[in-house]
Amino acid sequence: MAGGWASDVLVKRLGLKTARRTVPFAGLLVSALSLTLTIFVAGKYYLLVLLSLSYCGITFAQAPCWALCLDVGARFAGAVSGARNTTSQLGATISSIVFGYMVRSTGSYNIALIPVVGMIVVCAMLCLRIDATEQLFPESIPEVPTVHSTP
């Protein structure tokens, strides 16, 4: 909710393009920083706090990412959202498997976290290229036929 609220506030103040870039970027940056710090701290309570902050950063970024699907997809927002969700789940599946193999082969969670942090940083940087004002589909695409039922 916080990410969606922040994005809505920033849309009114800074415009759609800047808001949809800033909020996910900030959330992912917090996530990457917190996850990086877990590599260097000792103590389960510090790890718990840092891992929680990392998750908070990711979830902060999620709401504006879904809103972005609506922004750029317009009447095809369902297809854009579905594509986003499918690729996200595919990436999550692959990274979970790779993470497990890395931990097993290196014996270290810290080493396995390094590529995860790298992926989050790359995603944060890609957020800076988002343009929510640009539609993915031109208006010249014919209307999608709808089925109307009669009572």
Side-chain angles (χ1 to χ4, degrees), residues 32-46:
L33 180 61
S34 300
L35 202 54
T36 299
L37 291 174
T38 65
I39 296 170
F40 302 105
V41 299
K44 59 185 173 187
Y45 296 111
Y46 293 121

Side-chain angles (χ1 to χ4, degrees), residues 100-125:
Y101 279 114
M102 286 185 71
V103 170
R104 188 173 72 181
S105 68
T106 64
S108 170
Y109 284 93
N110 291 343
I111 293 171
L113 283 174
I114 293 169
V116 175
V117 170
M119 287 188 304
I120 294 171
V121 168
V122 167
C123 289
M125 299 312 291

Side-chain angles (χ1 to χ4, degrees), residues 51-117:
L51 288 172
S52 296
L53 282 173
S54 179
Y55 185 69
C56 285
I58 287 174
T59 57
F60 186 77
Q62 284 180 342
C65 289
W66 283 110
L68 179 66
C69 293
L70 300 173
D71 297 332
V72 301
R75 64 183 178 186
F76 297 102
V80 174
S81 296
R84 176 196 179 275
N85 199 47
T86 300
T87 55
S88 296
Q89 295 307 317
L90 181 62
T93 301
I94 293 168
S95 66
S96 296
I97 293 167
V98 170
F99 187 85
Y101 279 114
M102 286 185 71
V103 170
R104 188 173 72 181
S105 68
T106 64
S108 170
Y109 284 93
N110 291 343
I111 293 171
L113 283 174
I114 293 169
V116 175
V117 170

Side-chain angles (χ1 to χ4, degrees), residues 5 8 11 52 85 92 108 114 119 125 127 135 143 150:
W5 176 82
D8 289 346
V11 165
S52 296
N85 199 47
S108 170
I114 293 169
M119 287 188 304
M125 299 312 291
C127 286
Q135 296 285 304
E143 285 290 324
T150 56

